Amino acid sequence: MSLERRCTYDPLVELMAYYADAKTVAAVIDTENLSIEERLKQRIIGGDRLGIDRDLTTALQTYPALAIINDILLDGMKVVGELFGSGQMQLPFVLQSAETMKAAVAFLEPFMDKVEGAGAKGTMVLATVKGDVHDIGKNLVDIILSNNGYRVVNLGIKVPVETMLNAMEEHKANAIGMSGLLVKSTAIMKENLEYMQARGLDVPVVLGGAALNRRFVEKDLRAVYTGKLDYAQDAFDGLRFMQELTEGVQAAERESIEETKLGMEAKIQAAEDADLASVSVEVRAAQDVYAASSGGGTGAALDASLRLQADQENRADYAVNVRVHDDGSHQRVLELTSNVSRNEPVPVPPFYGSRIVENVLLDKVFEYINEIALIRGQWQFKRSKTTEVEYNRQMKEEAYPAFNELKLRSKREKLLEPKLVYGYFPCKADGNDLVIYKPLAEPDIHSTWTTVTPTSIQEKNVVEWMRYSFPRQKDGRHLCISDYFRPVSSSDFDVVAFHVVTAGQRATEYAHTLFESGNFKDYLFFHGLSVETAEALAEYWHKIVRAELGIGSKDADDVRRLFSQGYQGSRYSFGYPACPNLDDQVKLFELLRPERIGVTLTEEYQLVPEQSTSAIVCHHREARYFNIS
């Protein structure tokens, strides 16, 4: 993946040729006969930095350095943005163009006046919000803005709003860009905006991140902040935001586009709401009966009425159990629970307690890499408007060679260091709670237990350790993770597994080095691989857990089918739809002490290094992914 190596086949040139007329194709390929202005522009578009110094030296004989940047090179980056926006250029090639732009600017800098921010179109303060350790999205915005003539003050990760505002004032910035990955980060963004509103500020703000969507920004966040506010779906949306702010570029046109997008999303939401309404009609019918009956009548009559209504209204595919009980104040309480079986056989784990596993073979972990998630998701090789033939060529000559080379480099230079801590614990369900037990007297609770084993456990030799309180679906089947375990009324203890896995701190450090050195394409590739390596390790170790629990025979033969739950049970990660409470990580850390493998927790309950993931593992045959709604 060396950026100094030049291939005989240039996929970008071929891609542009496919969409251009014959005259333009000839111009792109035959660069030697172009004017110096066009030659430099095509170098930016094609990401061709080999020998660019020579062309820049020639251009300096006619133009000042700043004019070369603003009038020639940035014109090339504009074309890159247009190609990306129309689906004719893949993100890795965009970053290759950005690398070339950065190299050109670095060459020209000695010929310019040393004035901070001189020639910049505008300045943005950019940061990942407080408690969030993810920076790939923010850094992509940095790359695109910096190489399109804007100055970026990149504050890094876990940044409080006060720090952003201080930087805004210090650098006389035009706007603030806030980034974050998980749902918790969107809540922090809202808190930041409320704080800014309370102070009477109207700083222009652009927001981006995987958990954000346009509807949330337009409806929820605009309601709390009156300053200019926008949503960036990708890095180029951030660029367009700054263009509108500093240049007034295409503001009216984009406003029309936004209205169209919002109209389409409103139609989609209406369809989703209608579908949800048809699904949950049975549950609401039971609730209506309860509400109508709560003012009078005997408890027995109310119980019978509720159960009869539920029996009549519930369909088999959304069946729920209805339980009516006294809440302690002599009020009859309706509780709808799922119909998940509570009598599943309980597998016997190999031990209770936790164990550390280090020196996991990278080759084995790489077998569980989800290549679609890596190449299409992380690296953003998307077919879009390319033909199938062209897309397959990109996969063969760009994506997979990069994948294979990165795997070799990671092993050779020890860039990825997979390790984990996992364990099995006795448990029982108490309503929505999952109760975890521990021995009454264990010399080392964070190792393999010796005083209580899977074959010797009894009520008299364990005590409640902690509880996980999981949310329950309000509609549909009314699922809750606790449903997948034996209830407290059972004489048998159930078993739950937990794990924390990581690709190691070295991965974070190396990715940072690539970004800081301007190797943007390599940065995208390695960061994506490191994140997916952590996911692959989690997938691989889940398979080990299933084997140790004796349910591995249900696994699909094809590894790719494992990515769509081709096995018995489920692996739920905290912060995701079925268990959205990230603060549950605190209890997980008490159970497993993952500090022993170099993993820590931020004040917002996210794992460090970023290339880490955690999970609770259920063995129940009905356990599947679901959303809390």
Side-chain angles (χ1 to χ4, degrees):
M1 284 178 23
S2 171
L3 297 173
E4 297 301 324
R5 186 180 64 224
R6 191 167 185 177
C7 300
T8 56
Y9 165 71
D10 187 340
L12 178 59
V13 171
E14 295 295 327
L15 185 59
M16 293 177 64
Y18 180 80
Y19 285 97
D21 55 34
K23 182 177 179 181
T24 305
V25 173
V28 171
I29 296 175
D30 189 13
T31 57
E32 293 305 317
N33 292 328
L34 295 176
S35 66
I36 187 61
E37 296 86 355
E38 280 300 313
R39 192 155 67 243
L40 283 171
K41 179 179 174 180
Q42 292 303 329
R43 279 187 175 278
I44 296 298
I45 296 170
D48 180 10
R49 60 190 273 190
L50 201 63
I52 196 173
D53 295 5
R54 181 183 67 251
D55 287 346
L56 290 170
T57 300
T58 300
L60 282 168
Q61 297 173 12
T62 307
Y63 301 98
L66 194 57
I68 294 173
I69 294 172
N70 289 337
D71 301 333
I72 302 174
L73 302 181
L74 286 179
D75 199 24
M77 285 302 297
K78 179 181 178 182
V79 174
V80 170
E82 291 169 352
L83 289 170
F84 178 78
S86 64
Q88 299 176 57
M89 182 181 282
Q90 309 279 13
L91 180 61
F93 300 133
V94 171
L95 298 185
Q96 191 168 302
S97 293
E99 288 176 2
T100 304
M101 182 72 184
K102 185 179 178 68
V105 171
F107 179 85
L108 293 170
E109 277 180 346
F111 302 95
M112 296 186 291
D113 294 333
K114 300 292 183 181
V115 178
E116 185 181 24
K121 298 178 180 179
T123 301
M124 176 182 281
V125 169
L126 193 59
T128 300
V129 297
K130 182 180 68 174
D132 198 318
V133 300
H134 302 88
D135 64 359
I136 180 67
K138 166 184 66 66
N139 288 345
L140 289 177
V141 174
D142 186 345
I143 292 167
I144 297 304
L145 284 177
S146 298
N147 290 285
N148 276 277
Y150 293 91
R151 178 169 169 248
V152 176
V153 180
N154 191 333
L155 299 179
I157 61 175
K158 301 189 292 184
V159 181
V161 66
E162 294 89 346
T163 303
M164 299 182 206
L165 294 172
N166 290 339
M168 176 97 182
E169 182 177 355
E170 177 186 351
H171 298 282
K172 297 179 172 56
N174 303 91
I176 291 176
M178 300 184 196
S179 177
L181 180 71
L182 297 181
V183 174
K184 179 66 175 179
S185 297
T186 67
I188 296 296
M189 291 177 186
K190 185 175 183 180
E191 291 174 7
N192 290 349
L193 293 172
E194 289 172 337
Y195 174 80
M196 292 166 65
Q197 182 72 20
R199 284 187 51 182
L201 302 175
D202 61 353
V203 176
V205 177
V206 62
L207 307 171
L212 273 179
N213 58 57
R214 194 175 304 278
R215 186 184 297 110
F216 178 73
V217 174
E218 294 294 337
K219 293 179 63 177
D220 295 77
L221 299 188
R222 281 194 190 280
V224 302
Y225 187 64
T226 56
K228 180 175 175 58
L229 182 67
D230 214 341
Y231 164 67
Q233 184 173 354
D234 55 41
F236 279 95
D237 275 350
L239 174 61
R240 286 185 283 272
F241 175 82
M242 287 298 288
Q243 288 174 332
E244 291 170 19
L245 192 63
T246 61
E247 306 169 47
V249 174
Q250 299 175 335
E253 178 184 345
R254 185 156 182 257
E255 192 172 314
S256 175
I257 293 172
E258 295 301 320
E259 288 177 359
T260 301
K261 286 182 179 178
L262 288 172
M264 291 177 64
E265 289 185 354
K267 290 180 180 179
I268 293 171
Q269 183 62 48
E272 291 175 350
D273 291 343
D275 183 58
L276 181 61
S278 66
V279 166
S280 60
V281 65
E282 300 85 0
V283 171
R284 289 204 306 275
Q287 292 170 336
D288 290 344
V289 171
Y290 170 67
S293 306
S294 59
T298 65
L302 177 57
D303 291 0
S305 175
L306 286 167
R307 295 180 189 282
L308 176 61
Q309 184 70 28
D311 288 342
Q312 291 174 341
E313 295 291 334
N314 286 334
R315 296 197 307 261
D317 53 342
Y318 285 100
V320 294
N321 294 322
V322 180
R323 182 168 71 95
V324 183
H325 63 93
D326 192 319
D327 68 354
S329 60
H330 305 296
Q331 296 294 316
R332 308 299 288 176
V333 177
L334 168 69
E335 183 178 285
L336 298 171
T337 62
S338 74
N339 62 344
V340 170
S341 171
R342 302 303 180 91
N343 296 310
E344 283 294 294
V346 178
V348 179
F351 64 91
Y352 281 147
S354 62
R355 290 177 179 173
I356 294 173
V357 181
E358 298 180 296
N359 302 317
V360 182
L361 289 177
L362 257 181
D363 280 331
K364 191 64 182 177
V365 177
F366 286 152
E367 290 179 13
Y368 291 84
I369 290 270
N370 185 332
E371 294 180 6
I372 293 177
L374 173 66
I375 295 174
R376 297 184 190 176
Q378 298 287 348
W379 293 356
Q380 296 189 40
F381 277 99
K382 299 175 181 178
R383 180 176 168 185
S384 193
K385 291 186 178 180
T386 60
T387 65
E388 184 176 357
V389 171
E390 175 60 29
Y391 184 75
N392 290 338
R393 185 186 298 175
Q394 289 178 352
M395 295 301 97
K396 180 180 178 181
E397 301 195 20
E398 181 73 25
Y400 281 103
F403 183 31
N404 292 329
E405 185 175 346
L406 259 182
K407 287 191 290 185
L408 290 172
R409 181 187 299 181
S410 297
K411 289 190 294 182
R412 183 175 63 248
E413 300 179 23
K414 293 182 170 49
L415 302 177
L416 300 171
E417 301 172 323
K419 48 191 169 183
L420 62 108
V421 56
Y422 81 115
Y424 300 97
F425 302 90
C427 67
K428 289 184 180 182
D430 185 7
N432 292 1
D433 293 356
L434 182 65
V435 184
I436 312 295
Y437 298 88
K438 67 177 180 179
L440 284 171
E442 178 66 40
D444 184 2
I445 198 70
H446 294 106
S447 184
T448 301
W449 298 351
T450 57
T451 60
V452 174
T453 67
T455 56
S456 69
I457 186 169
Q458 299 178 48
E459 294 282 355
K460 63 182 181 181
N461 60 13
V462 294
V463 65
E464 181 176 325
W465 188 358
M466 67 181 65
R467 285 177 177 248
Y468 279 95
S469 296
F470 294 113
R472 183 175 296 280
Q473 287 180 320
K474 296 178 181 178
D475 296 293
R477 291 188 63 193
H478 288 256
L479 293 170
C480 176
I481 288 179
S482 62
D483 294 348
Y484 299 123
F485 298 94
R486 291 288 183 95
V488 288
S489 58
S490 173
S491 59
D492 297 323
F493 284 90
D494 213 317
V495 60
V496 61
F498 293 89
H499 73 213
V500 175
V501 308
T502 184
Q505 180 62 31
R506 173 82 172 113
T508 298
E509 295 168 354
Y510 184 67
H512 180 74
T513 298
L514 290 172
F515 174 73
E516 291 297 323
S517 62
N519 294 316
F520 301 138
K521 187 177 175 184
D522 285 6
Y523 167 65
L524 176 73
F525 282 172
F526 179 75
H527 180 276
L529 178 66
S530 66
V531 169
E532 289 304 321
T533 295
E535 291 295 333
L537 178 56
E539 194 71 71
Y540 169 49
W541 210 257
H542 187 193
K543 183 175 179 65
I544 297 295
V545 167
R546 293 193 300 272
E548 290 186 343
L549 290 177
I551 59 174
S553 61
K554 307 289 182 64
D555 286 7
D557 294 331
D558 187 343
V559 169
R560 290 172 296 183
R561 283 198 57 210
L562 297 182
F563 305 141
S564 56
Q565 288 195 279
Y567 47 74
Q568 178 175 319
S570 269
R571 170 172 58 94
Y572 302 102
S573 291
F574 296 106
Y576 287 86
C579 46
N581 299 324
L582 265 178
D583 52 359
D584 281 342
Q585 301 268 41
V586 174
K587 297 174 183 177
L588 178 66
F589 267 62
E590 185 178 346
L591 279 171
L592 296 180
R593 294 288 168 85
E595 299 94 337
R596 296 178 290 174
I597 58 169
V599 178
T600 57
L601 205 59
T602 72
E603 63 270 27
E604 297 299 332
Y605 315 113
Q606 295 191 30
L607 302 177
V608 179
E610 176 190 352
Q611 295 84 352
S612 307
T613 187
S614 63
I616 173 175
V617 178
C618 304
H619 61 79
H620 198 291
R621 63 182 175 83
E622 295 182 46
R624 285 292 180 266
Y625 296 138
F626 60 91
N627 292 326
I628 296 297
S629 58

